[in-house]
Amino acid sequence: MWAYLHKLASPQGFYALSVRLSPWCWGLALTLMVVGTIWGLGFAPADYQQGNSFRIIYVHVPAALLAQSIYVTMAVAGLVFLVWRIKLADMAATAMAPLGAAMTFLALFSGAVWGVPTWGTWWQWDARLTSMLLLLFLYFGVLALRGALGGRQSAARAASVLTLVGVINIPIIQYSVEWWYTLHQPATFSVTSRPAMPSDMWLPLLVMVLGFYCLFLAVTLTRTRHEILRREASRRWVRALTGEGS
Amino acid sequence: MSRPERDGAAGPTPARALRGMMRRDLLLLSRHPGAWLNPLAFFALVITLFPIGISPSASLLSDLAPGLLWVAALLATLLSLDGLFRDDAEDGSLEQLLLSPQPLPLLILGRVAIHWASTGLPLALMAPLLGVMLSLPAESYLLLMVALALGSATLGLIGAIGAALTIGVARGGIILPLLVLPLYVPVLIFGSGALQAAIGGGNAAPHLAVLGALLALALMLAPWATAAALRISLNG
């Protein structure tokens, strides 16, 4: 068991696993997302209040879920890297950060587009939108620190510390933003207290969420593999793989 | 290099080391008054820009005053953060600090305390003056000072982590705000919330209590995170 884990945590072992797994992940992700999109956009009934505009939920909710999960996953990877010095964990964290920022942006953007038919405005200083925006800035901070420190040894550990500090702060930020929002804004239109969705509305949503998570897995596997190749370029097994050298 | 061997009696106690370092920091501040005067001037200048940019109307300004004062204080703190470890890193004394057998989080706490006493506290003392200029109601001045003093200590502690992480970056001043400002949001919310509650006739105590709780949490975690960040930045 431990020997297997050890082999998995080595860049070479992970590379082999990733080559085998990632086509399946990509396939599953695309299938689920295509099925979820067609089901959600074409066959799910329209909302009695919001009409067809509610269908943005099939992009918005999975993106928002993923935005937060990716940050937490990055923090876990950062902790693993700091504690056990497993280089692979940092490679994975590097690989998933841009996707997390992209998902946060997608959640914000789809939220803004959704805001036009429901709130009548592109941007509302709603508690969730605001904390999403702050999450985007946290992602930017991690990306900027990595970028500024470049390829230095300290970049990985500094980014891990920053991600951990961020993950401790995320709940504090979210609760304080909610507190701020309830103090300042009368409850205008709440997306949260909508009546429970019938199953033919949330089943496609579930498919989409699963599809997005598979996409996350697939992107992380693929990008981590690229990161391994980039960082281990001088190792013998990589040179053998790419046909360089003997 | 391994640490030099010390026999127990020869080395100073952590308390003495802390005192020595704080005395040195104070001396440095007295020799370079710009380090603590510039953020204050910046604070006053930013507050002066708002009436010019928005409107001189007293009723409008007094509505905006809590938020303006806090945002300006946040930026002034940020301005002073970059020098927290940078000078020491450049002349090598930071490495001596790391090599010393004294507990690093304690020394960091001492440095942040001096930093707070030289920026956060003066900012809090100066805030009522700017409050007058923004026609903030007079009853809220004491509260403004207490909230700023409490909040700026948290800002300094959180900011120290960012300052430690960006020592190795040539122009750390540019990415430091990006790292630190999102983490400042809770302090901003409860700090200006306390003032707004007091002006609106509400109770400011819960806001102050949360500011105190944030400070307690930061005191507990930030020195260790800063110590880890310093070791990473210097060893990498």
Side-chain angles (χ1 to χ4, degrees), chain A residues 113-150:
Chain A
V113 172
W114 200 355
V116 175
T118 48
W119 294 328
T121 164
W122 287 94
W123 183 260
Q124 175 97 27
W125 284 99
D126 165 76
R128 292 177 161 214
L129 280 179
T130 311
S131 45
M132 246 336 169
L133 185 64
L134 291 169
L135 182 66
L136 184 64
F137 288 132
L138 286 176
Y139 271 115
F140 283 168
V142 175
L143 289 172
L145 187 65
R146 252 188 223 283
L149 289 173

Side-chain angles (χ1 to χ4, degrees), chain A:
Chain A
M1 168 78 183
W2 284 113
Y4 180 71
L5 272 182
H6 191 75
K7 189 175 150 243
L8 204 63
S10 79
Q12 191 174 1
F14 182 83
Y15 189 93
L17 183 81
S18 159
V19 168
R20 257 188 299 145
L21 274 186
S22 62
W24 294 97
C25 286
W26 278 109
L28 198 59
L30 289 182
T31 315
L32 283 172
M33 282 167 75
V34 167
V35 168
T37 308
I38 293 173
W39 192 356
L41 297 190
F43 295 97
D47 188 76
Y48 74 99
Q49 244 179 352
Q50 301 184 32
N52 278 322
S53 69
F54 98 97
R55 294 182 200 278
I56 295 174
I57 202 175
Y58 296 118
V59 177
H60 180 73
V61 168
L65 280 174
L66 214 55
Q68 295 188 323
S69 318
I70 291 180
Y71 200 92
V72 174
T73 316
M74 267 167 60
V76 171
L79 189 71
V80 167
F81 175 65
L82 284 179
V83 174
W84 289 288
R85 304 280 161 95
I86 295 175
K87 270 188 291 176
L88 187 66
D90 180 62
M91 294 176 187
T94 315
M96 62 182 84
L99 181 70
M103 282 299 159
T104 316
F105 180 77
L106 184 61
L108 277 171
F109 183 75
S110 56
V113 172
W114 200 355
V116 175
T118 48
W119 294 328
T121 164
W122 287 94
W123 183 260
Q124 175 97 27
W125 284 99
D126 165 76
R128 292 177 161 214
L129 280 179
T130 311
S131 45
M132 246 336 169
L133 185 64
L134 291 169
L135 182 66
L136 184 64
F137 288 132
L138 286 176
Y139 271 115
F140 283 168
V142 175
L143 289 172
L145 187 65
R146 252 188 223 283
L149 289 173
R152 257 175 276 182
Q153 283 287 314
S154 60
R157 294 208 284 151
S160 302
V161 169
L162 184 67
T163 320
L164 282 177
V165 171
V167 91
I168 292 173
N169 269 281
I170 284 179
I172 301 177
I173 292 175
Q174 282 185 347
Y175 278 111
S176 54
V177 166
E178 252 167 54
W179 163 286
W180 162 78
Y181 180 68
T182 49
L183 275 187
H184 286 259
Q185 304 269 347
T188 41
F189 181 88
S190 167
V191 187
T192 46
S193 62
R194 214 148 22 111
M197 277 193 275
S199 62
D200 46 358
M201 274 183 179
W202 65 255
L203 272 177
L205 182 62
L206 187 70
V207 173
M208 277 306 262
V209 169
L210 287 176
F212 267 64
Y213 273 95
C214 286
L215 179 74
F216 168 40
L217 201 62
V219 169
T220 309
L221 284 174
T222 309
R223 282 182 53 92
T224 308
R225 213 161 68 215
H226 298 166
E227 195 67 28
I228 291 174
L229 288 184
R230 196 173 303 138
R231 291 200 201 172
E232 310 266 291
S234 56
R235 302 290 280 275
R236 191 181 296 147
W237 70 270
V238 176
R239 293 162 74 98
L241 200 72
T242 51
E244 271 180 54
S246 56

Side-chain angles (χ1 to χ4, degrees), chain B residues 178-195:
Chain B
L178 200 51
L179 305 190
V180 168
L181 278 180
L183 309 179
Y184 279 181
V185 168
V187 177
L188 173 66
I189 287 173
F190 290 103
S192 66
L195 273 182

